[in-house]
Amino acid sequence: DVTIDPDYYLTWCFALVGALIMWYHPSYAVDGTPSLVGIAGGGFHILFAALLYSQTARVRCRFEKDGFEFYNVKGVGQDAELMKKPDNYVSGTRNRWSYDKIIHYGFFPSLEYPVICYFKETETPKEQWNKWFAAFDSYGRGQPHFFPGLCNARQFKNQMELRGVKRKPLPSQKKQK
């Protein structure tokens, strides 16, 4: 079993962008007081960074013999243990997926800067495939899942490859000439 390391890169990027927005947003006040738009915009990014930080510290992706699963971390340091997460709030199924049922995975915008990680599987019952973001899946060939880049994306990709999960090309809706 392999637990993927947490990656705080996305957290620190949002925190830095928030601070930069607060610092550099122009103030149009004569007395030079800070811009309320800058404070609100920067504050939003910093609050989002705090949420990402807590999620990165709390959630772990674990690759096991026949599937991978997301766990919550309970405790700190050597005393920390992985606890099963509640069922998926969208599909109502367990947050565990078999490798042979994953038909695609990827990172947006790239593996180097994984803001969103995603994968698509066929293990979720077909009647659940048309909920929430899955409703935008024009291919209708599985249940997509999205999560922020909270774990080391290179380790995630390496574990998928070691377990035989391929990044399969998705069919295009463009007509071929």
Side-chain angles (χ1 to χ4, degrees):
D1 294 355
V2 176
T3 302
I4 303 299
D5 294 332
D7 186 354
Y8 291 90
Y9 178 78
L10 189 59
T11 298
W12 295 120
C13 285
F14 270 93
L16 178 62
V17 167
L20 290 173
I21 289 171
M22 286 181 167
W23 184 261
Y24 287 108
H25 195 280
S27 173
Y28 299 106
V30 175
D31 63 354
T33 55
S35 162
L36 290 178
V37 172
I39 291 171
F44 172 79
H45 282 76
I46 290 171
L47 286 173
F48 189 63
L51 171 68
L52 288 173
Y53 182 87
S54 68
Q55 291 294 82
T56 303
R58 185 179 67 87
V59 177
R60 293 291 178 275
C61 178
R62 186 171 181 93
F63 283 81
E64 297 167 345
K65 181 182 175 186
D66 59 345
F68 81 95
E69 185 167 359
F70 288 103
Y71 288 90
N72 285 332
V73 176
K74 185 173 183 178
V76 180
Q78 298 291 357
D79 297 329
E81 61 180 295
L82 298 178
M83 308 291 291
K84 291 205 183 291
K85 289 181 68 64
D87 288 347
N88 187 290
Y89 70 93
V90 175
S91 63
T93 58
R94 187 173 165 200
N95 284 310
R96 180 180 181 77
W97 300 275
S98 299
Y99 304 120
D100 61 342
K101 301 292 184 181
I102 298 172
I103 60 173
H104 185 63
Y105 70 96
F107 311 93
F108 179 82
S110 68
L111 178 63
E112 292 76 26
Y113 305 104
V115 175
I116 297 291
C117 304
Y118 64 90
F119 65 95
K120 191 172 190 180
E121 48 83 11
T122 57
E123 193 166 355
T124 300
K126 197 169 187 173
E127 59 271 7
Q128 300 291 330
W129 290 2
N130 200 22
K131 291 186 175 179
W132 294 73
F133 290 111
F136 297 105
D137 177 24
S138 59
Y139 304 119
R141 296 189 183 132
Q143 173 68 37
H145 297 269
F146 304 92
F147 56 98
L150 305 175
C151 62
N152 184 309
R154 289 190 189 284
Q155 289 178 3
F156 184 90
K157 179 181 181 281
N158 289 341
Q159 288 300 315
M160 288 291 224
E161 288 174 351
L162 283 172
R163 284 154 169 79
V165 178
K166 304 248 188 276
R167 292 183 69 177
K168 298 176 180 142
L170 294 175
S172 174
Q173 289 187 333
K174 295 180 182 177
K175 294 192 182 225
Q176 300 293 325
K177 291 184 178 185

